[in-house]
């Protein structure tokens, strides 16, 4: 085990150029490919940040159009958006495309989309 510790200390003291040459020589001598693990180790924090960015946890529900059943859509909009009066809901529906909900959880966005589409509206979730 002492040899492993010495080897790790030696590698830790190498420059990037020396380490690159070492990896090439190691690959040639043992007929292996170390490129993938080295790339993963080097990109570890960046890959974790990219995964976090890809995993979206806030969604916007956007009303694209009311369709044929505008009154039904207005009722559903009032049900979904708390504290919205009839006039405000009507203005919102008539002014489509407009966001109905902003920065909500995925399940809430999907539920709102389903209700609005059931009432005849055209909706998108972003």
């Amino acid at each position: 085990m002492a040899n492993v510790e010495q080897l790790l200390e030696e590698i830790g003291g190498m420059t990037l150029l020396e380490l690159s040459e070492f990896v090439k020589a190691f690959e040639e001598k043992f007929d292996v490919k170390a490129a993938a693990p080295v790339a993963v180790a080097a990109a570890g924090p960046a890959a974790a940040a990219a995964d976090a960015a890809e995993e979206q946890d806030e969604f916007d529900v956007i009303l694209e159009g009311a369709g044929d059943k505008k009154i039904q859509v207005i009722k559903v909009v009032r049900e979904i958006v708390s504290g919205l009066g009839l006039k405000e809901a009507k203005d919102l529906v008539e002014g489509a495309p407009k966001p109905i909900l902003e920065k909500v959880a995925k399940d809430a966005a999907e539920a709102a989309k389903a209700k609005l589409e059931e009432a005849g509206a055209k909706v998108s979730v972003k």
Side-chain angles (χ1 to χ4, degrees):
M1 198 51 89
N3 289 337
V4 173
E5 295 293 324
Q6 288 175 336
L7 190 58
L8 288 174
E9 283 189 38
E10 191 71 30
I11 290 173
M14 291 180 160
T15 65
L16 288 177
L17 184 59
E18 292 171 334
L19 188 57
S20 175
E21 291 172 2
F22 170 75
V23 169
K24 287 179 186 175
F26 187 88
E27 288 175 342
E28 289 175 13
K29 177 162 177 113
F30 296 105
D31 194 31
V32 293
K33 191 74 174 159
V38 171
V40 170
D51 286 345
E54 288 177 19
E55 180 109 15
Q56 184 178 358
D57 60 349
E58 292 181 338
F59 297 87
D60 295 342
V61 179
I62 299 171
L63 178 67
E64 301 291 335
D68 296 335
K69 302 177 182 177
K70 188 164 67 170
I71 294 173
Q72 293 298 330
V73 174
I74 292 170
K75 287 180 181 180
V76 172
V77 168
R78 287 191 65 203
E79 179 183 321
I80 292 172
V81 182
S82 62
L84 205 59
L86 183 59
K87 181 177 179 354
E88 291 87 4
K90 181 179 180 249
D91 291 343
L92 188 69
V93 169
E94 288 177 348
K98 292 253 183 163
I100 300 293
L101 297 173
E102 295 179 329
K103 297 182 181 181
V104 295
K106 184 176 183 176
D107 56 343
E110 291 298 326
K113 180 181 178 187
K115 282 183 180 180
L116 286 164
E117 286 179 342
E118 187 178 310
K122 185 175 179 184
V123 182
S124 66
V125 176
K126 295 180 181 178

